[in-house]
Amino acid sequence: ADCYKELGNFGDTGSKLKESGECFRRQDAQRCVEVWKEAVEVYVEAGKWNRSGDTMKMIAEMYEKPDAGGLMCEDPIMEALDCYQLAADYYKNESPPREVATNNMLQKVATLSAQKGELPRAAEIFDEMARGYLDSKMLKFNARGLMMKALVCWMAHGDMVSVEQKLAEFSGLDHTMGGSLEDKFINEALAALKDHNKDAFGTAAAEYNQIKKLDPWMTKLLLKAKRAIPEEEEEEEEEAAVASHEAVVPSGVWRDAPPRPLEEAAEDC
């Protein structure tokens, strides 16, 4: 690699660094990542965006592995997320842009963002991707699935206003959204959340799952939204506390209790 670099042959320099990383891959993951990052720098300097994206994607996959603890970083998932974002940027710079590869990387960014609790970021990425899909004759039929993911992210975040607003926007952008299975589920789930009805929420999810299988990622987010619904006993206790407090405290002094922390999703809906 050093010899090719001295000769100014950046393409072969990057290729040899990439091959070198492959040699380290099983024995020294940290060294593998370091060498591949060197290869990316070479490719970027040479304007080889496709190779830059491919190599950065490989680095992201290394960080995302369950055994990534051997890598020298505090948070492997966040590192993977950042690398997938860079890979998307590189693919986008290619002429013509590699749209499919870019979208695949952005989906990884959104998925990992939600996993790390960055639900608004994930929702915005899915939202932007869905709008882009609608402009493509080949991809527009997949837009509704991305809209569904965006809406579920907002739901899990507890932002019902955004769920309603985005659902209305999506229905206006995509004529197939209104009256669809996704539209029916979101409206039923939204009504259940407003009514604090866990059973209705679970029923809506189960009915959707019978027709379209919910993947584990989506299931965890829906479970997060469901577990934010207070139990009936809690609501009754809170109402009793409010009544008791208002009997001795002047009107306007009472403050609502803070929301109950959400449990981590660890089982299916």
PDB file of all heavy atoms in Angstrom, residues 20-47:
ATOM      1  N   SER A  20      -5.478  -5.592   3.452  1.00  0.00           N
ATOM      2  CA  SER A  20      -4.755  -5.708   4.715  1.00  0.00           C
ATOM      3  C   SER A  20      -5.734  -5.805   5.882  1.00  0.00           C
ATOM      4  O   SER A  20      -5.545  -6.598   6.809  1.00  0.00           O
ATOM      5  CB  SER A  20      -3.839  -4.492   4.902  1.00  0.00           C
ATOM      6  OG  SER A  20      -3.186  -4.540   6.150  1.00  0.00           O
ATOM      7  N   GLY A  21      -6.774  -4.992   5.819  1.00  0.00           N
ATOM      8  CA  GLY A  21      -7.789  -5.045   6.867  1.00  0.00           C
ATOM      9  C   GLY A  21      -8.451  -6.405   6.947  1.00  0.00           C
ATOM     10  O   GLY A  21      -8.757  -6.897   8.042  1.00  0.00           O
ATOM     11  N   GLU A  22      -8.682  -7.004   5.806  1.00  0.00           N
ATOM     12  CA  GLU A  22      -9.291  -8.344   5.772  1.00  0.00           C
ATOM     13  C   GLU A  22      -8.409  -9.354   6.515  1.00  0.00           C
ATOM     14  O   GLU A  22      -8.915 -10.252   7.187  1.00  0.00           O
ATOM     15  CB  GLU A  22      -9.492  -8.793   4.329  1.00  0.00           C
ATOM     16  CG  GLU A  22     -10.644  -8.103   3.602  1.00  0.00           C
ATOM     17  CD  GLU A  22     -12.002  -8.611   4.055  1.00  0.00           C
ATOM     18  OE1 GLU A  22     -12.056  -9.502   4.911  1.00  0.00           O
ATOM     19  OE2 GLU A  22     -13.019  -8.088   3.540  1.00  0.00           O
ATOM     20  N   CYS A  23      -7.097  -9.196   6.400  1.00  0.00           N
ATOM     21  CA  CYS A  23      -6.173 -10.107   7.087  1.00  0.00           C
ATOM     22  C   CYS A  23      -6.277  -9.966   8.607  1.00  0.00           C
ATOM     23  O   CYS A  23      -6.111 -10.938   9.344  1.00  0.00           O
ATOM     24  CB  CYS A  23      -4.735  -9.829   6.640  1.00  0.00           C
ATOM     25  SG  CYS A  23      -4.421 -10.185   4.899  1.00  0.00           S
ATOM     26  N   PHE A  24      -6.521  -8.734   9.070  1.00  0.00           N
ATOM     27  CA  PHE A  24      -6.637  -8.487  10.510  1.00  0.00           C
ATOM     28  C   PHE A  24      -8.021  -8.822  11.057  1.00  0.00           C
ATOM     29  O   PHE A  24      -8.210  -8.903  12.268  1.00  0.00           O
ATOM     30  CB  PHE A  24      -6.361  -7.009  10.816  1.00  0.00           C
ATOM     31  CG  PHE A  24      -4.917  -6.610  10.700  1.00  0.00           C
ATOM     32  CD1 PHE A  24      -4.511  -5.720   9.716  1.00  0.00           C
ATOM     33  CD2 PHE A  24      -3.966  -7.120  11.574  1.00  0.00           C
ATOM     34  CE1 PHE A  24      -3.185  -5.339   9.608  1.00  0.00           C
ATOM     35  CE2 PHE A  24      -2.635  -6.744  11.476  1.00  0.00           C
ATOM     36  CZ  PHE A  24      -2.242  -5.854  10.494  1.00  0.00           C
ATOM     37  N   ARG A  25      -8.997  -8.998  10.183  1.00  0.00           N
ATOM     38  CA  ARG A  25     -10.410  -9.036  10.564  1.00  0.00           C
ATOM     39  C   ARG A  25     -10.720 -10.009  11.693  1.00  0.00           C
ATOM     40  O   ARG A  25     -11.427  -9.659  12.659  1.00  0.00           O
ATOM     41  CB  ARG A  25     -11.252  -9.366   9.340  1.00  0.00           C
ATOM     42  CG  ARG A  25     -12.748  -9.190   9.551  1.00  0.00           C
ATOM     43  CD  ARG A  25     -13.484  -9.286   8.233  1.00  0.00           C
ATOM     44  NE  ARG A  25     -14.866  -8.852   8.335  1.00  0.00           N
ATOM     45  CZ  ARG A  25     -15.647  -8.652   7.302  1.00  0.00           C
ATOM     46  NH1 ARG A  25     -15.180  -8.833   6.078  1.00  0.00           N
ATOM     47  NH2 ARG A  25     -16.896  -8.267   7.474  1.00  0.00           N
ATOM     48  N   ARG A  26     -10.214 -11.213  11.644  1.00  0.00           N
ATOM     49  CA  ARG A  26     -10.551 -12.219  12.643  1.00  0.00           C
ATOM     50  C   ARG A  26      -9.634 -12.190  13.859  1.00  0.00           C
ATOM     51  O   ARG A  26     -10.031 -12.594  14.954  1.00  0.00           O
ATOM     52  CB  ARG A  26     -10.532 -13.609  12.008  1.00  0.00           C
ATOM     53  CG  ARG A  26     -11.619 -13.817  10.966  1.00  0.00           C
ATOM     54  CD  ARG A  26     -11.651 -15.247  10.481  1.00  0.00           C
ATOM     55  NE  ARG A  26     -12.706 -15.461   9.510  1.00  0.00           N
ATOM     56  CZ  ARG A  26     -12.967 -16.636   8.920  1.00  0.00           C
ATOM     57  NH1 ARG A  26     -12.236 -17.704   9.242  1.00  0.00           N
ATOM     58  NH2 ARG A  26     -13.939 -16.740   8.031  1.00  0.00           N
ATOM     59  N   GLN A  27      -8.432 -11.708  13.680  1.00  0.00           N
ATOM     60  CA  GLN A  27      -7.459 -11.751  14.763  1.00  0.00           C
ATOM     61  C   GLN A  27      -7.364 -10.452  15.555  1.00  0.00           C
ATOM     62  O   GLN A  27      -7.100 -10.466  16.759  1.00  0.00           O
ATOM     63  CB  GLN A  27      -6.065 -12.099  14.188  1.00  0.00           C
ATOM     64  CG  GLN A  27      -6.003 -13.423  13.455  1.00  0.00           C
ATOM     65  CD  GLN A  27      -6.330 -14.599  14.348  1.00  0.00           C
ATOM     66  OE1 GLN A  27      -5.976 -14.621  15.522  1.00  0.00           O
ATOM     67  NE2 GLN A  27      -7.016 -15.598  13.789  1.00  0.00           N
ATOM     68  N   ASP A  28      -7.564  -9.330  14.887  1.00  0.00           N
ATOM     69  CA  ASP A  28      -7.409  -8.028  15.546  1.00  0.00           C
ATOM     70  C   ASP A  28      -8.425  -7.046  14.957  1.00  0.00           C
ATOM     71  O   ASP A  28      -8.118  -6.303  14.018  1.00  0.00           O
ATOM     72  CB  ASP A  28      -5.973  -7.515  15.348  1.00  0.00           C
ATOM     73  CG  ASP A  28      -5.656  -6.294  16.191  1.00  0.00           C
ATOM     74  OD1 ASP A  28      -6.607  -5.622  16.657  1.00  0.00           O
ATOM     75  OD2 ASP A  28      -4.463  -5.993  16.381  1.00  0.00           O
ATOM     76  N   ALA A  29      -9.624  -7.035  15.530  1.00  0.00           N
ATOM     77  CA  ALA A  29     -10.710  -6.205  14.998  1.00  0.00           C
ATOM     78  C   ALA A  29     -10.354  -4.721  15.029  1.00  0.00           C
ATOM     79  O   ALA A  29     -10.686  -3.982  14.099  1.00  0.00           O
ATOM     80  CB  ALA A  29     -11.981  -6.448  15.799  1.00  0.00           C
ATOM     81  N   GLN A  30      -9.673  -4.286  16.088  1.00  0.00           N
ATOM     82  CA  GLN A  30      -9.328  -2.872  16.192  1.00  0.00           C
ATOM     83  C   GLN A  30      -8.380  -2.448  15.079  1.00  0.00           C
ATOM     84  O   GLN A  30      -8.562  -1.408  14.455  1.00  0.00           O
ATOM     85  CB  GLN A  30      -8.670  -2.594  17.552  1.00  0.00           C
ATOM     86  CG  GLN A  30      -8.274  -1.148  17.781  1.00  0.00           C
ATOM     87  CD  GLN A  30      -9.447  -0.183  17.706  1.00  0.00           C
ATOM     88  OE1 GLN A  30     -10.546  -0.516  18.144  1.00  0.00           O
ATOM     89  NE2 GLN A  30      -9.223   1.000  17.154  1.00  0.00           N
ATOM     90  N   ARG A  31      -7.379  -3.271  14.810  1.00  0.00           N
ATOM     91  CA  ARG A  31      -6.428  -2.956  13.740  1.00  0.00           C
ATOM     92  C   ARG A  31      -7.119  -2.994  12.382  1.00  0.00           C
ATOM     93  O   ARG A  31      -6.818  -2.177  11.492  1.00  0.00           O
ATOM     94  CB  ARG A  31      -5.260  -3.950  13.764  1.00  0.00           C
ATOM     95  CG  ARG A  31      -4.156  -3.677  12.749  1.00  0.00           C
ATOM     96  CD  ARG A  31      -3.554  -2.317  12.940  1.00  0.00           C
ATOM     97  NE  ARG A  31      -2.521  -2.038  11.952  1.00  0.00           N
ATOM     98  CZ  ARG A  31      -2.268  -0.850  11.443  1.00  0.00           C
ATOM     99  NH1 ARG A  31      -2.990   0.205  11.837  1.00  0.00           N
ATOM    100  NH2 ARG A  31      -1.318  -0.669  10.549  1.00  0.00           N
ATOM    101  N   CYS A  32      -8.048  -3.917  12.218  1.00  0.00           N
ATOM    102  CA  CYS A  32      -8.820  -4.025  10.972  1.00  0.00           C
ATOM    103  C   CYS A  32      -9.559  -2.725  10.694  1.00  0.00           C
ATOM    104  O   CYS A  32      -9.491  -2.173   9.587  1.00  0.00           O
ATOM    105  CB  CYS A  32      -9.804  -5.188  11.075  1.00  0.00           C
ATOM    106  SG  CYS A  32     -11.020  -5.261   9.744  1.00  0.00           S
ATOM    107  N   VAL A  33     -10.244  -2.222  11.699  1.00  0.00           N
ATOM    108  CA  VAL A  33     -11.015  -0.983  11.551  1.00  0.00           C
ATOM    109  C   VAL A  33     -10.089   0.191  11.241  1.00  0.00           C
ATOM    110  O   VAL A  33     -10.394   1.036  10.392  1.00  0.00           O
ATOM    111  CB  VAL A  33     -11.840  -0.701  12.826  1.00  0.00           C
ATOM    112  CG1 VAL A  33     -12.384   0.729  12.821  1.00  0.00           C
ATOM    113  CG2 VAL A  33     -12.995  -1.692  12.935  1.00  0.00           C
ATOM    114  N   GLU A  34      -8.953   0.251  11.922  1.00  0.00           N
ATOM    115  CA  GLU A  34      -7.999   1.338  11.700  1.00  0.00           C
ATOM    116  C   GLU A  34      -7.489   1.351  10.266  1.00  0.00           C
ATOM    117  O   GLU A  34      -7.401   2.413   9.623  1.00  0.00           O
ATOM    118  CB  GLU A  34      -6.820   1.211  12.667  1.00  0.00           C
ATOM    119  CG  GLU A  34      -7.194   1.494  14.126  1.00  0.00           C
ATOM    120  CD  GLU A  34      -6.062   1.171  15.083  1.00  0.00           C
ATOM    121  OE1 GLU A  34      -5.021   0.637  14.618  1.00  0.00           O
ATOM    122  OE2 GLU A  34      -6.211   1.437  16.293  1.00  0.00           O
ATOM    123  N   VAL A  35      -7.156   0.171   9.747  1.00  0.00           N
ATOM    124  CA  VAL A  35      -6.638   0.075   8.381  1.00  0.00           C
ATOM    125  C   VAL A  35      -7.731   0.425   7.371  1.00  0.00           C
ATOM    126  O   VAL A  35      -7.478   1.123   6.375  1.00  0.00           O
ATOM    127  CB  VAL A  35      -6.082  -1.340   8.107  1.00  0.00           C
ATOM    128  CG1 VAL A  35      -5.705  -1.502   6.640  1.00  0.00           C
ATOM    129  CG2 VAL A  35      -4.857  -1.599   8.975  1.00  0.00           C
ATOM    130  N   TRP A  36      -8.951  -0.054   7.621  1.00  0.00           N
ATOM    131  CA  TRP A  36     -10.046   0.273   6.706  1.00  0.00           C
ATOM    132  C   TRP A  36     -10.350   1.764   6.704  1.00  0.00           C
ATOM    133  O   TRP A  36     -10.706   2.341   5.677  1.00  0.00           O
ATOM    134  CB  TRP A  36     -11.292  -0.517   7.085  1.00  0.00           C
ATOM    135  CG  TRP A  36     -11.268  -1.922   6.542  1.00  0.00           C
ATOM    136  CD1 TRP A  36     -10.392  -2.438   5.619  1.00  0.00           C
ATOM    137  CD2 TRP A  36     -12.156  -2.989   6.883  1.00  0.00           C
ATOM    138  NE1 TRP A  36     -10.669  -3.750   5.359  1.00  0.00           N
ATOM    139  CE2 TRP A  36     -11.750  -4.121   6.115  1.00  0.00           C
ATOM    140  CE3 TRP A  36     -13.230  -3.115   7.738  1.00  0.00           C
ATOM    141  CZ2 TRP A  36     -12.406  -5.350   6.203  1.00  0.00           C
ATOM    142  CZ3 TRP A  36     -13.885  -4.335   7.834  1.00  0.00           C
ATOM    143  CH2 TRP A  36     -13.476  -5.442   7.064  1.00  0.00           C
ATOM    144  N   LYS A  37     -10.198   2.408   7.853  1.00  0.00           N
ATOM    145  CA  LYS A  37     -10.409   3.854   7.907  1.00  0.00           C
ATOM    146  C   LYS A  37      -9.340   4.588   7.087  1.00  0.00           C
ATOM    147  O   LYS A  37      -9.624   5.613   6.453  1.00  0.00           O
ATOM    148  CB  LYS A  37     -10.413   4.346   9.353  1.00  0.00           C
ATOM    149  CG  LYS A  37     -11.690   4.000  10.107  1.00  0.00           C
ATOM    150  CD  LYS A  37     -11.708   4.587  11.502  1.00  0.00           C
ATOM    151  CE  LYS A  37     -13.026   4.297  12.207  1.00  0.00           C
ATOM    152  NZ  LYS A  37     -13.074   4.866  13.584  1.00  0.00           N
ATOM    153  N   GLU A  38      -8.135   4.043   7.098  1.00  0.00           N
ATOM    154  CA  GLU A  38      -7.080   4.609   6.250  1.00  0.00           C
ATOM    155  C   GLU A  38      -7.463   4.477   4.784  1.00  0.00           C
ATOM    156  O   GLU A  38      -7.255   5.396   3.978  1.00  0.00           O
ATOM    157  CB  GLU A  38      -5.751   3.886   6.502  1.00  0.00           C
ATOM    158  CG  GLU A  38      -5.080   4.199   7.826  1.00  0.00           C
ATOM    159  CD  GLU A  38      -3.749   3.479   7.946  1.00  0.00           C
ATOM    160  OE1 GLU A  38      -2.943   3.526   6.975  1.00  0.00           O
ATOM    161  OE2 GLU A  38      -3.499   2.841   8.989  1.00  0.00           O
ATOM    162  N   ALA A  39      -8.026   3.320   4.436  1.00  0.00           N
ATOM    163  CA  ALA A  39      -8.450   3.091   3.051  1.00  0.00           C
ATOM    164  C   ALA A  39      -9.538   4.085   2.649  1.00  0.00           C
ATOM    165  O   ALA A  39      -9.519   4.630   1.536  1.00  0.00           O
ATOM    166  CB  ALA A  39      -8.974   1.655   2.892  1.00  0.00           C
ATOM    167  N   VAL A  40     -10.480   4.355   3.561  1.00  0.00           N
ATOM    168  CA  VAL A  40     -11.548   5.314   3.274  1.00  0.00           C
ATOM    169  C   VAL A  40     -10.967   6.697   3.014  1.00  0.00           C
ATOM    170  O   VAL A  40     -11.386   7.399   2.081  1.00  0.00           O
ATOM    171  CB  VAL A  40     -12.566   5.373   4.440  1.00  0.00           C
ATOM    172  CG1 VAL A  40     -13.533   6.534   4.234  1.00  0.00           C
ATOM    173  CG2 VAL A  40     -13.331   4.068   4.548  1.00  0.00           C
ATOM    174  N   GLU A  41      -9.985   7.096   3.822  1.00  0.00           N
ATOM    175  CA  GLU A  41      -9.353   8.404   3.632  1.00  0.00           C
ATOM    176  C   GLU A  41      -8.728   8.519   2.249  1.00  0.00           C
ATOM    177  O   GLU A  41      -8.822   9.553   1.581  1.00  0.00           O
ATOM    178  CB  GLU A  41      -8.294   8.629   4.715  1.00  0.00           C
ATOM    179  CG  GLU A  41      -8.868   8.826   6.113  1.00  0.00           C
ATOM    180  CD  GLU A  41      -7.771   9.001   7.150  1.00  0.00           C
ATOM    181  OE1 GLU A  41      -6.575   9.038   6.757  1.00  0.00           O
ATOM    182  OE2 GLU A  41      -8.095   9.101   8.353  1.00  0.00           O
ATOM    183  N   VAL A  42      -8.089   7.439   1.819  1.00  0.00           N
ATOM    184  CA  VAL A  42      -7.464   7.415   0.497  1.00  0.00           C
ATOM    185  C   VAL A  42      -8.526   7.524  -0.590  1.00  0.00           C
ATOM    186  O   VAL A  42      -8.390   8.297  -1.551  1.00  0.00           O
ATOM    187  CB  VAL A  42      -6.620   6.138   0.308  1.00  0.00           C
ATOM    188  CG1 VAL A  42      -6.143   6.010  -1.140  1.00  0.00           C
ATOM    189  CG2 VAL A  42      -5.426   6.138   1.256  1.00  0.00           C
ATOM    190  N   TYR A  43      -9.593   6.728  -0.458  1.00  0.00           N
ATOM    191  CA  TYR A  43     -10.659   6.741  -1.456  1.00  0.00           C
ATOM    192  C   TYR A  43     -11.337   8.112  -1.532  1.00  0.00           C
ATOM    193  O   TYR A  43     -11.644   8.608  -2.622  1.00  0.00           O
ATOM    194  CB  TYR A  43     -11.710   5.681  -1.120  1.00  0.00           C
ATOM    195  CG  TYR A  43     -11.280   4.253  -1.363  1.00  0.00           C
ATOM    196  CD1 TYR A  43     -11.661   3.223  -0.497  1.00  0.00           C
ATOM    197  CD2 TYR A  43     -10.521   3.913  -2.483  1.00  0.00           C
ATOM    198  CE1 TYR A  43     -11.299   1.908  -0.731  1.00  0.00           C
ATOM    199  CE2 TYR A  43     -10.137   2.602  -2.725  1.00  0.00           C
ATOM    200  CZ  TYR A  43     -10.528   1.599  -1.839  1.00  0.00           C
ATOM    201  OH  TYR A  43     -10.163   0.294  -2.080  1.00  0.00           O
ATOM    202  N   VAL A  44     -11.574   8.725  -0.382  1.00  0.00           N
ATOM    203  CA  VAL A  44     -12.229  10.035  -0.350  1.00  0.00           C
ATOM    204  C   VAL A  44     -11.342  11.082  -1.032  1.00  0.00           C
ATOM    205  O   VAL A  44     -11.831  11.906  -1.816  1.00  0.00           O
ATOM    206  CB  VAL A  44     -12.545  10.463   1.108  1.00  0.00           C
ATOM    207  CG1 VAL A  44     -12.968  11.930   1.159  1.00  0.00           C
ATOM    208  CG2 VAL A  44     -13.653   9.583   1.691  1.00  0.00           C
ATOM    209  N   GLU A  45     -10.055  11.023  -0.728  1.00  0.00           N
ATOM    210  CA  GLU A  45      -9.123  11.975  -1.340  1.00  0.00           C
ATOM    211  C   GLU A  45      -9.092  11.824  -2.855  1.00  0.00           C
ATOM    212  O   GLU A  45      -8.945  12.808  -3.590  1.00  0.00           O
ATOM    213  CB  GLU A  45      -7.711  11.773  -0.772  1.00  0.00           C
ATOM    214  CG  GLU A  45      -6.705  12.810  -1.232  1.00  0.00           C
ATOM    215  CD  GLU A  45      -5.342  12.620  -0.600  1.00  0.00           C
ATOM    216  OE1 GLU A  45      -5.216  11.795   0.332  1.00  0.00           O
ATOM    217  OE2 GLU A  45      -4.382  13.301  -1.043  1.00  0.00           O
ATOM    218  N   ALA A  46      -9.271  10.585  -3.322  1.00  0.00           N
ATOM    219  CA  ALA A  46      -9.248  10.323  -4.758  1.00  0.00           C
ATOM    220  C   ALA A  46     -10.626  10.511  -5.402  1.00  0.00           C
ATOM    221  O   ALA A  46     -10.761  10.371  -6.620  1.00  0.00           O
ATOM    222  CB  ALA A  46      -8.753   8.902  -5.013  1.00  0.00           C
ATOM    223  N   GLY A  47     -11.644  10.823  -4.583  1.00  0.00           N
ATOM    224  CA  GLY A  47     -12.994  11.002  -5.119  1.00  0.00           C
ATOM    225  C   GLY A  47     -13.662   9.713  -5.525  1.00  0.00           C
ATOM    226  O   GLY A  47     -14.593   9.716  -6.344  1.00  0.00           O
TER     227      GLY A  47
END
